[in-house]
Amino acid sequence: TPLCLPRPRGVAHAVRGLLAGLAARVRTTEMRVLVPAGRDPAPDLPALDGILQVGRGGESSRALRARIPASLEQPAAARDVSPWTALPNWAGPRVAWVHELPYVRLGPIEGRLRTLRQRRHVARLVAHAARVVVPSQATRDDLLQVQPGLAGRTCVIPNAFDPAPWRPRERVPPRHPYVIAVGVGHSRAAARKKGLDVLLKAWRRLPLPGHQ
């Protein structure tokens, strides 16, 4: 699903990095990418051994998760790697990918209903995930604070990053020195989650004359 969003976000970049790394390796196992039916990923996506469309166009996330187990059975899958903590109800071994747990440090910053859903999904990992992957030690600490039983199944694997795609759009130097913040803040809660409130407080205290 994150690979089909019109504006890719952090999870999509992390998944693309993983797929690119897998595509560059010599593999003896067939790997396929599952995407929702009716939603096409970017044409340059490293599709490994092919893209498998699941469900019907326009279905809800819950309905899509309900259809995934049947897709994993035909052809039979050995394991499932999910970029979301909302794992499908599949009997095979699964690897869950937890990117963040903002409510551990910031409380219900994304709303109480969303926080309750996140806690419920993470709780399912204890019973259903063979391994849980987190991108940093900080995320592992947050996860074990709410689910200490995952200590033996949680692995820290930093997100893949390839600097090759980054090219300067222009070679004219900027007129003024500037500060850039990397993060998407579509709402007040998202801006706070990305630390933009901290940036604004720091901006007023830092001696940066002439910076934009």
Side-chain angles (χ1 to χ4, degrees):
T1 302
L3 298 172
C4 301
L5 296 176
R7 294 182 58 189
R9 299 186 182 181
V11 174
H13 290 301
V15 174
R16 286 180 67 96
L18 173 64
L19 296 180
L22 292 172
R25 297 177 63 90
V26 176
R27 295 178 287 105
T28 59
T29 302
E30 185 177 276
M31 299 181 182
R32 296 186 179 275
V33 181
L34 273 66
V35 301
R39 300 176 64 181
D40 297 325
D44 61 340
L45 178 73
L48 304 181
D49 294 301
I51 294 177
L52 181 62
Q53 293 195 333
V54 181
R56 301 173 181 174
E59 284 188 316
S60 66
S61 298
R62 177 178 296 182
L64 180 64
R65 286 199 301 272
R67 292 182 181 274
I68 289 179
S71 300
L72 295 175
E73 297 296 338
Q74 298 293 333
R79 62 191 59 86
D80 168 52
V81 180
S82 173
W84 300 124
T85 53
L87 294 175
N89 293 319
W90 183 56
R94 290 169 294 181
V95 177
W97 202 346
V98 179
H99 302 275
E100 60 178 0
L101 293 92
Y103 55 84
V104 175
R105 300 170 187 256
L106 302 174
I109 187 173
E110 296 180 293
R112 297 188 180 278
L113 180 59
R114 180 178 175 86
T115 298
L116 289 174
R117 288 175 177 171
Q118 288 179 330
R119 287 183 176 273
R120 182 182 63 192
H121 290 324
V122 171
R124 291 180 61 202
L125 301 181
V126 178
H128 298 294
R131 289 291 185 273
V132 181
V133 175
V134 294
S136 68
Q137 184 61 43
T139 303
R140 187 178 191 273
D141 294 341
D142 291 345
L143 179 62
L144 298 185
Q145 183 173 331
V146 294
Q147 296 291 343
L150 287 177
R153 285 178 279 166
T154 303
C155 309
V156 178
I157 303 177
N159 288 336
F161 173 74
D162 182 3
W166 298 94
R167 297 285 185 269
R169 298 186 63 178
E170 58 182 25
R171 298 189 180 277
V172 179
R175 296 180 180 180
H176 304 283
Y178 61 92
V179 173
I180 183 171
V182 180
V184 180
H186 292 301
S187 63
R188 179 179 298 180
R192 185 184 169 201
K193 188 176 71 171
K194 298 297 183 180
L196 298 184
D197 58 332
V198 178
L199 171 64
L200 295 177
K201 292 178 181 177
W203 182 264
R204 292 191 292 267
R205 299 177 61 181
L206 291 173
L208 296 173
H211 281 68
Q212 295 181 342

